[in-house]
């Protein structure tokens, strides 16, 4: 005879395993992409709804299991029993009971759900900061019409002020998702969806594309940076201006600027064919690089914005991000070093 799993024969080992598994969920954070640690009114409302429905589900589970256990014990086969027990048919009270109870539970779930939908999809307040979010294969573009600048990957918003994201896509369907700040919203070409939230905590909150959109879907990450009012105003004012002037003594940066502006064959091998730098280049296919050095990450959030990260990216974007529209351009090590110095000067 089989003797059952070894673990079950050792209650102490089983208890330790269960305890370790449970405690693994209590490591104190930081839960970078947890919907259960809301940091905006939107996420808070979803969390309350989630908790409400969770407890209804617990109540249903407990009641059903209690009835099940009772029936199994009370009506089990007994020694000496002859024939089968008589089934119950057409018991009016039971029939009405198990029709009404689920209907009532559905009402208790539906009412808060519909309330929440109306709350989070309501008209944005007139003072909301509007940001146009545009999905691209595979990076996020942010346009601040109130200020007239564009940036990428890192979305800055002020704490405590309502934010209205109008979300669309340049190519295929993506989905904007920063779990701690609110629900997902599809980004669809030719259509605009909305997401309205007010962040209540300062910090950097991670997110990512949540709709399969091609080879580098998993490399389409984002961060929402919630600043205090003064920091946000200062950041926005800087984005409105061109990049800091290049120091005349910094020859390698000057060289980098020249490499950046060089026209190459084929056309998409020229940096300026796709990228904009305020006052210098006006490409609109790739991320705006005017203040690239202000960002902590590059390439849709997959590489750190460091000398090493930039070098890796410029050497071979297609290996770093499979399917990348940025091609592998034939650059010498010196050209790459100069470009990196130039890009790091874009503040
Ligand atoms: Cu964009 Cu997945």
């Amino acid at each position: 005879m089989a003797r059952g799993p070894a673990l079950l024969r050792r209650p102490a080992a089983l208890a330790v395993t269960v305890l370790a598994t449970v405690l693994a969920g209590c490591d104190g954070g930081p839960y970078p992409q947890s919907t259960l640690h809301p940091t905006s009114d939107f996420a808070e409302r979803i969390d309350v709804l989630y908790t409400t429905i969770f407890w209804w589900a617990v109540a249903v589970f407990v009641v059903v299991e209690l009835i099940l256990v009772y029936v199994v014990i009370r009506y089990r086969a007994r020694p000496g029993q002859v024939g089968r027990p008589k089934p119950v048919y057409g018991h009016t009270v039971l029939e009405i009971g198990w029709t009404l109870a689920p209907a009532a539970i559905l009402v208790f779930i539906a009412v808060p759900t519909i309330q929440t939908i109306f709350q989070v999809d309501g008209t944005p307040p007139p003072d909301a900061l509007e940001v146009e979010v545009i999905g691209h294969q595979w990076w996020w573009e942010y346009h601040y019409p109130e200020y007239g600048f564009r940036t990428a990957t890192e979305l800055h918003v002020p704490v405590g002020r309502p934010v209205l994201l109008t979300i669309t896509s340049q190519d295929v369907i993506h989905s904007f998702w920063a779990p701690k700040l609110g629900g997902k919203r599809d980004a669809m070409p030719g259509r605009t969806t909305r997401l309205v939230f007010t962040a209540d905590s300062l910090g950097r909150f991670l997110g990512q594309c949540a709709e399969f959109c091609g080879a580098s879907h998993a490399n389409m990450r984002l961060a929402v940076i919630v600043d205090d009012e003064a920091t946000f105003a200062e950041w926005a004012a800087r984005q409105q201006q061109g990049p800091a002037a290049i120091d005349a003594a910094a020859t390698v940066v000057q060289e980098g600027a020249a490499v950046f502006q060089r026209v190459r064959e084929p056309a998409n091998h020229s940096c300026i064919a796709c990228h904009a730098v305020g006052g210098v280049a006006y490409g609109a296919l790739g991320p705006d690089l005017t203040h690239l050095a202000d960002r902590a990450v590059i390439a849709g959030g997959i590489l750190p914005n460091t000398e090493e990260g930039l070098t890796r990216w410029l050497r071979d974007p297609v290996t770093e991000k499979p399917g990348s529209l940025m091609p592998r351009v034939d650059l010498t090590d010196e050209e790459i070093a100069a470009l990196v110095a130039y890009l790091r000067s874009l503040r």
Side-chain angles (χ1 to χ4, degrees), residues 136 138 140 172-175 209-214 216-218 220:
H136 296 262
W138 287 276
W140 293 100
V172 300
I173 299 177
H174 305 274
S175 183
C209 179
E211 180 76 52
F212 182 72
C213 55
S216 273
H217 158 65
M220 189 168 169

Side-chain angles (χ1 to χ4, degrees), residues 87-229:
V88 179
Y89 285 117
H91 191 298
T92 314
V93 175
L94 274 183
E95 298 275 356
I96 291 175
W98 64 50
T99 305
L100 282 188
I105 291 168
L106 285 183
V107 169
F108 283 113
I109 290 175
V111 170
T113 302
I114 292 168
Q115 271 176 344
T116 306
I117 290 172
F118 275 91
Q119 283 167 351
V120 300
D121 269 353
T123 317
D127 66 326
L129 169 73
E130 189 188 343
V131 185
E132 222 182 297
V133 176
I134 304 144
H136 296 262
Q137 283 175 314
W138 287 276
W139 55 284
W140 293 100
E141 179 178 13
Y142 309 114
H143 174 218
Y144 290 68
E146 190 180 317
Y147 296 90
F149 65 81
R150 288 169 190 276
T151 182
T153 308
E154 291 176 348
L155 171 68
H156 283 249
V157 299
V159 73
R161 179 174 169 193
V163 176
L164 162 64
L165 302 183
T166 51
I167 304 168
T168 185
S169 166
Q170 197 70 39
D171 36 48
V172 300
I173 299 177
H174 305 274
S175 183
F176 183 88
W177 190 38
K180 286 188 167 186
L181 288 160
K184 288 176 197 142
R185 280 289 184 279
D186 277 3
M188 292 172 279
R191 287 178 69 172
T192 303
T193 49
R194 292 189 328 182
L195 185 64
V196 182
F197 67 86
T198 307
D200 60 26
S201 314
L202 299 176
R204 182 184 176 87
F205 303 103
L206 300 183
Q208 62 188 71
C209 179
E211 180 76 52
F212 182 72
C213 55
S216 273
H217 158 65
N219 296 325
M220 189 168 169
R221 301 179 203 166
L222 62 100
V224 181
I225 294 157
V226 181
D227 294 321
D228 63 60
E229 217 175 309

Side-chain angles (χ1 to χ4, degrees), residues 140-343:
W140 293 100
E141 179 178 13
Y142 309 114
H143 174 218
Y144 290 68
E146 190 180 317
Y147 296 90
F149 65 81
R150 288 169 190 276
T151 182
T153 308
E154 291 176 348
L155 171 68
H156 283 249
V157 299
V159 73
R161 179 174 169 193
V163 176
L164 162 64
L165 302 183
T166 51
I167 304 168
T168 185
S169 166
Q170 197 70 39
D171 36 48
V172 300
I173 299 177
H174 305 274
S175 183
F176 183 88
W177 190 38
K180 286 188 167 186
L181 288 160
K184 288 176 197 142
R185 280 289 184 279
D186 277 3
M188 292 172 279
R191 287 178 69 172
T192 303
T193 49
R194 292 189 328 182
L195 185 64
V196 182
F197 67 86
T198 307
D200 60 26
S201 314
L202 299 176
R204 182 184 176 87
F205 303 103
L206 300 183
Q208 62 188 71
C209 179
E211 180 76 52
F212 182 72
C213 55
S216 273
H217 158 65
N219 296 325
M220 189 168 169
R221 301 179 203 166
L222 62 100
V224 181
I225 294 157
V226 181
D227 294 321
D228 63 60
E229 217 175 309
T231 311
F232 177 79
E234 191 194 316
W235 174 83
R238 195 166 64 248
Q239 306 304 307
Q240 286 177 294
Q241 293 155 16
I246 299 175
D247 183 355
T251 43
V252 66
V253 178
Q254 306 269 15
E255 278 168 39
V259 176
F260 183 81
Q261 291 172 55
R262 192 168 302 155
V263 176
R264 296 164 193 277
E265 284 297 329
N268 71 338
H269 283 217
S270 316
C271 307
I272 53 172
C274 298
H275 294 284
V277 168
V280 175
Y282 304 92
L285 290 175
D288 187 309
L289 303 178
T290 307
H291 294 281
L292 178 70
D294 281 355
R295 301 177 209 148
V297 287
I298 57 161
I302 59 171
L303 289 171
N305 189 6
T306 57
E307 209 174 300
E308 201 214 332
L310 285 162
T311 307
R312 270 176 64 178
W313 179 245
L314 292 174
R315 271 216 180 103
D316 193 354
V318 185
T319 300
E320 297 297 335
K321 195 200 264 183
S324 164
L325 287 185
M326 174 151 153
R328 191 172 178 279
V329 179
D330 254 333
L331 296 164
T332 64
D333 284 353
E334 290 71 43
E335 283 174 323
I336 288 177
L339 261 182
V340 169
Y342 172 63
L343 293 172

